[in-house]
Amino acid sequence: MIKTAIVTGGASGLGAAAAERLRRADIRVVTVDRAGKADEAIDIIDEAAVTALADRVGPVDILVNSAGVVGPNAPLVATTGDQWRSTFEVNVVGTVAMMRAFIPGMVARGWGRVVNLASIAGKDGNPNLSVYSASKAAVIALTKSAGKELAKTGVLVNAIAPAVIASPMNDQTAADVLAHITSLIPMQRVGRAEEVAELIAWLVSDAVSFSTGAVYDISGGRATY
């Protein structure tokens, strides 16, 4: 039976690469984005729109939460409350909204895969990216909590923590910040979206059955702990 996947942030970057890879695995993919060419043009922070999406799409087996924003490139003391709220709205609250909308159906059917896109920044913290780093740490904790809650349901919830990946989102990162975080990678290069997509494809497959609440680094060697 053909599986159905929802990929947020699917119009570009990691989301688009994941959607392309899953389609090659004969999975029906519905991309979601608030801008660009996506199958469904909605903002995931709009809970009513997310609920309506779930009604339109029907049963979903796979959820890839790739939508995200970088937030401010600034020292912590120079950030504002509004910047914290807007970044967390997309990176955390939007991810939660999608999980709340689609996980119940997976549980009812006894099978599901959720992959949340976190970041090495959520583990290490990146200077001048405190808001982004904190939001991705929240995604990691969310994944661990949900994975434990759903461990006996057949629904697996895992996260991926990439280092710097060549993507439109990182085009918004200040050049000096980007240079610094790239210098931390032993391979001395940024990752490619298709490399992350391969890991996503594995995590949503039947090949994975004994991993949930886990965080998979894809960092060119940066994560050495």
Side-chain angles (χ1 to χ4, degrees):
M1 185 172 63
I2 295 177
K3 292 183 172 67
T4 297
I6 291 274
V7 180
T8 69
S12 63
L14 297 182
E20 180 183 349
R21 177 62 181 83
L22 296 182
R23 285 176 176 135
R24 293 206 307 271
D26 295 326
I27 294 170
R28 174 190 172 230
V29 178
V30 178
T31 56
V32 172
D33 213 308
R34 65 184 181 185
K37 294 182 179 179
D39 299 316
E40 293 281 350
I42 71 163
D43 192 333
I44 60 170
I45 71 172
D46 182 341
E47 290 201 23
V50 171
T51 299
L53 171 70
D55 291 339
R56 284 196 303 276
V57 173
V60 167
D61 309 288
I62 296 163
L63 171 62
V64 179
N65 283 308
S66 183
V69 294
V70 174
N73 289 275
L76 170 64
V77 296
T79 61
T80 68
D82 284 344
Q83 289 172 327
W84 280 86
R85 282 184 284 271
S86 63
T87 303
F88 268 71
E89 276 284 312
V90 177
N91 293 356
V92 184
V93 180
T95 295
V96 171
M98 294 295 293
M99 292 172 71
R100 290 175 58 232
F102 290 100
I103 285 175
M106 297 178 187
V107 171
R109 292 185 296 277
W111 194 98
R113 298 289 186 268
V114 179
V115 177
N116 294 326
L117 270 293
S119 171
I120 286 295
K123 291 185 168 187
D124 280 1
N126 284 334
N128 296 318
L129 287 174
S130 60
V131 184
Y132 178 76
S133 299
S135 73
K136 291 302 184 177
V139 170
I140 289 171
L142 165 66
T143 299
K144 289 178 177 291
S145 180
K148 290 178 173 66
E149 288 181 15
L150 299 168
K152 295 182 180 180
T153 66
V155 180
L156 307 182
V157 185
N158 292 294
I160 294 176
V164 183
I165 305 296
S167 70
M169 189 173 76
N170 275 321
D171 291 342
Q172 304 168 35
T173 305
D176 60 331
V177 174
L178 196 60
H180 170 70
I181 56 182
T182 302
S183 74
L184 300 175
I185 300 173
M187 285 187 179
Q188 290 293 290
R189 70 169 176 88
V190 300
R192 300 189 302 273
E194 58 267 28
E195 292 173 313
V196 179
E198 288 296 334
L199 180 53
I200 292 170
W202 178 69
L203 283 172
V204 305
S205 72
D206 285 315
V208 178
S209 58
F210 195 55
S211 178
T212 196
V215 184
Y216 290 80
D217 295 340
I218 181 163
S219 67
R222 173 174 170 178
T224 56
Y225 40 79

